[in-house]
Amino acid sequence: MSMWKDDTATRPSPIQPPEPKEPVRVDAPSKPQYTPLPAAAQVARADTSLPRKESVIAPDITIEGKIEGSGSVRVAGKFKGDVNVQGDLTVEGGAKLTGSVRADKVTIAGELEGNIEESSHVDLQQTGVMTGDLKAGSLTVAAGARMRGRAEFGWDDSGPKAVKPGNGRGVGSDAGS
């Protein structure tokens, strides 16, 4: 004899199992159409085969150290140290760079205090000030630009030297003998 009453078989369950639903179907949005810019709005680049990367030192930033790499550098603030890049270097108006420079092309609109040891082209703009020696393949100086130092440009150093080291008198010169 049992002491409890077994009425579980006749009582309906208060929780009914959920009915299986069909999954909701969501269509992916179509791809946006590419519309090329008009030719006049496109920016021209000298060399489109290599993307140019440019690092910027902002006008309100002062950095001391060394910059080396394959990209270009734009100084709008103050930088103290050497710059050795395979790209271009731009010193903007109001900016100051103190140190030696090696870059493909150097544009100076601000102030450079140091030597440009190697460059294919240097552009000293109207507001540019350079204190130091310059060695480049070519040089452009705008009216109003200032420079204090020695400039050497247009010479190919791979060929024979025209001056003998030590005497400063030219090859085969008999002057002063």
Side-chain angles (χ1 to χ4, degrees), residues 1-7:
M1 179 159 180
S2 70
M3 300 189 80
W4 64 89
K5 189 176 179 181
D6 189 17
D7 61 351

Side-chain angles (χ1 to χ4, degrees), residues 34 103 128 134 141 154 163 167 172:
Y34 172 72
L134 177 147
V141 180
V163 177
N167 69 5

Side-chain angles (χ1 to χ4, degrees), residues 18-36:
E19 294 179 19
K21 293 183 180 178
E22 195 167 316
V24 178
R25 180 178 237 173
V26 178
D27 292 331
S30 63
K31 287 187 177 181
Q33 293 293 325
Y34 172 72
T35 308

Side-chain angles (χ1 to χ4, degrees), residues 111-149:
E111 186 177 348
L112 172 63
E113 190 175 309
N115 298 334
I116 297 177
E117 297 173 357
E118 183 180 331
S119 180
S120 62
H121 179 75
V122 174
D123 185 12
L124 193 54
Q125 296 184 345
Q126 183 179 8
T127 58
V129 177
M130 181 176 170
T131 306
D133 295 342
L134 177 147
K135 187 173 183 181
S138 64
L139 172 66
T140 302
V141 180
R146 296 181 294 157
M147 180 182 168
R148 178 172 287 151

